[in-house]
Amino acid sequence: MEFNEYQRAANRTLYGNEQVLTNCALGLAGESGQLIDLIKNYTFRGKELDRQEMIHEMGDVLWYLSQIAQWADVSFDEVAKTNIAALNKRYPNGYLPEK
């Protein structure tokens, strides 16, 4: 699935038209926290990393991020391309750990 295709499909499930940006920003923070908790529990508490739950939480993060971009009239493709350009500029030879 292409980024812009995802963004359009996800927008069909957006509820409401007031306070959308605030709701989506708060939702993004909450869902990111749930993803972080999964990773923290795996890393520091020896719990199994539930791959399906991780995919679910990443999907929730992606949904909120896509709707913030939709609200701002920014295509997901533009976000992705801009990010890759910045990474290529920052790491022209790929990431090389400092010695």
Side-chain angles (χ1 to χ4, degrees):
M1 174 176 273
E2 299 287 327
F3 280 124
N4 287 343
E5 180 185 356
Y6 173 85
Q7 187 177 16
R8 285 188 299 275
N11 188 248
R12 155 186 105 62
T13 63
L14 180 66
Y15 177 75
N17 57 10
E18 294 193 25
Q19 306 296 331
V20 169
L21 181 61
T22 300
N23 180 51
C24 286
L26 293 171
L28 177 61
E31 295 299 339
S32 296
Q34 290 182 35
L35 177 60
I36 290 165
D37 275 345
L38 285 175
I39 296 167
K40 178 183 73 177
N41 288 334
Y42 168 76
T43 303
F44 298 109
R45 296 190 178 143
K47 291 190 178 182
E48 291 289 321
L49 186 58
D50 184 333
R51 185 176 187 276
Q52 286 308 117
E53 186 64 20
M54 187 171 70
I55 290 169
H56 172 81
E57 297 303 342
M58 288 190 308
D60 289 346
V61 167
L62 186 64
W63 186 90
Y64 280 110
L65 187 59
S66 77
Q67 296 313 290
I68 291 170
Q70 181 78 20
W71 180 89
D73 196 29
V74 174
S75 76
F76 243 27
D77 278 346
E78 182 180 354
V79 173
K81 288 175 183 175
T82 300
N83 179 252
I84 292 299
L87 290 171
N88 287 339
K89 184 176 180 182
R90 192 177 307 145
Y91 305 107
N93 299 314
Y95 177 75
L96 301 172
E98 293 182 23
K99 294 179 181 181

